[in-house]
Structures are given as structure tokens and as C-alpha cells.
Amino acid sequence: MKTILLSALLLATSAWAYKVTGVLAGKQEVLIKSKSQGEITQIEKKEGTKVLAGDTLATIDDEQEQIEWKQAAEELKSAKGDYLKTKALKKYVSQEELIKKRDIYLKKKSIYELKGYNLKNTKITSPIAGVISKKFIKMGETVSNGAKTFEVINSENLIIEIDVLAEKSKNLKIGRFLSFSSDLHPKKSFKAKITFVAPTIDKASGTTRLKLELKNNVVHGRYELKPGTLVNV
């Protein structure tokens, strides 16, 4: 998951008044990478689509993984049967034989779980609810393990991280609300709550980092503010 840090410009306007220009970011933003490799055989969601946590966004060719998983399931079933039969006859078999059957069963179980994990990873899923902001793959494309596939942003909760000159941040405490306007709504004022004030001052810039958070309002079925929008705090 990633958080976009804001490089903010502080403009002094009077002894205690100041203005910070920054960028809105989603509190939850995730770059989804492939956990498998192969050909993209299905794309379920497109850019701009709303998704829920766990939704499948695309599928990687899983023919080989299906074969290996089914084979592992059969071998596990057989090994488990052998172990349980041997265990039931433990009065007539050696402890060494029982342990051998048990170890084979446990090994086959581990292999089955691994093959199931590999099969599951052919499904590219979203770990969060949000909107697909970027799609990096195409149908028929071969992707490698770790390749970028989608970016999902949850616009319900937004953040602003700003760097404020230390002398200007003395009265900025956690819980205080600050007003800001956006380029999309220059005549409207919004409020965000300070949720973090860095305990240190950056030596190079002489600034203190602050984090502000706000809930994004829904207007006419759409979020009023968009991540990436310039704001004036």
C-alpha cells in the first residue's frame, strides 16, 4: 500500500498568517503487483471501476496450476488414507513405520497447500475497496512475478501531508481543524483535522511535517474531492 507525501510551499502573508499549497491523496492507495507469471487470460475490471476488497480484477492462465493442484489433492488423499490405516493398526506396526507414514502425509499436505496458494495467486485481486485509478496490463500479455497490474485508490478518506516552518507550527496541535480550498472548488472552503505533528524539525528545511485527514463527501453520486488535486491550506 503507498501514501503520497506532499511537497508543500509555505508563503508568509503576515506575522502569523500563512498559506500552504499541497496535493490531496487517498488515505489508502495500493499498487497491486502480480504474484504469479503467465498470460493474462481475463480482465474483469477496467479503469474507473469501483471495487470491493477481495474482488478479482484479472486472471493469469492457470491451466498448469489447476493440474498440479488436482494432482496434489489426489496424492494427499492417498497419503492421508495410508497414515490413518497405519495409525489404526499401530498395535501391529512399528513406531518407525507409523512415523514414516505420518511424515509422508504431512509432506503431501504441505505440497497441496503450496499448490493451492499458487493457484490462488493466478487471480489478481484488490486488497482494498476503492476505484481502479490505473491499469497496467492488457489481454494476452505475459506478466512476470512482481509486475505492476493495477492501482486502486480509496477516495472515501483523504490525507494532506505538509511541511510547515517550525515557528509557524507552534499552535498547530493534533485535533485542530484547518480550512483549505481546492483547484476544483476554489470558492468553497473545506476542513481537515490534524492527526499527526512530527516531533522533530527537519534540519535542512527547518520545517515540521503535519498530516491532516478528512472524509470525502459524496455529491450527486460522486466524491466531491479527487486525489491528486492541488489544495491551499
Side-chain angles (χ1 to χ4, degrees), residues 33-38 60 141-149:
K33 296 183 178 181
S34 171
K35 295 180 180 179
S36 185
Q37 59 183 14
I60 298 172
E141 176 184 356
T142 298
V143 296
S144 58
N145 198 337
K148 294 189 294 185
T149 59

Side-chain angles (χ1 to χ4, degrees), residues 17-31:
Y18 57 90
K19 187 176 182 180
V20 177
T21 300
V23 183
L24 283 171
K27 186 177 180 180
Q28 283 188 304
E29 299 185 357
V30 59
L31 178 62

Side-chain angles (χ1 to χ4, degrees), residues 12-19 166-171 176:
T13 56
S14 68
W16 295 105
Y18 57 90
K19 187 176 182 180
E167 61 268 25
K168 298 292 186 180
S169 66
K170 294 178 181 178
N171 296 321
R176 178 176 173 179

Side-chain angles (χ1 to χ4, degrees), residues 71 93 193 226:
Q71 182 179 343
V93 298
K193 183 169 69 173
K226 295 182 179 181

Side-chain angles (χ1 to χ4, degrees), residues 28-143:
Q28 283 188 304
E29 299 185 357
V30 59
L31 178 62
I32 303 170
K33 296 183 178 181
S34 171
K35 295 180 180 179
S36 185
Q37 59 183 14
E39 180 184 344
I40 298 295
T41 56
Q42 188 71 35
I43 294 181
E44 306 285 349
K45 309 291 184 182
K46 60 183 180 179
E47 290 181 346
T49 303
K50 291 182 180 180
V51 298
L52 299 175
D55 277 359
T56 297
L57 311 184
T59 301
I60 298 172
D61 180 23
D62 64 356
E63 183 178 357
Q64 184 62 35
E65 283 78 10
Q66 286 279 5
I67 293 172
E68 293 179 359
W69 177 72
K70 290 178 181 179
Q71 182 179 343
E74 289 297 324
E75 292 179 358
L76 173 61
K77 182 179 179 181
S78 176
K80 183 178 181 180
D82 285 347
Y83 170 57
L84 292 178
K85 287 179 183 178
T86 304
K87 188 176 181 181
L89 298 171
K90 61 182 180 181
K91 291 182 179 180
Y92 308 101
V93 298
S94 65
Q95 185 68 15
E96 181 181 352
E97 182 67 13
L98 179 61
I99 292 174
K100 180 181 178 181
K101 294 292 185 180
R102 183 202 63 186
D103 290 347
I104 291 174
Y105 160 62
L106 293 177
K107 181 179 180 180
K108 294 298 182 181
K109 184 180 178 182
S110 295
I111 293 174
Y112 171 76
E113 291 172 348
L114 175 61
K115 296 302 181 182
Y117 176 78
N118 291 341
L119 178 59
K120 180 182 177 182
N121 284 341
T122 61
K123 301 291 185 183
I124 299 172
T125 60
S126 176
I128 65 170
V131 176
I132 297 175
S133 57
K134 291 181 182 179
K135 177 173 69 70
F136 300 98
I137 55 176
K138 298 178 182 179
M139 275 288 295
E141 176 184 356
T142 298
V143 296

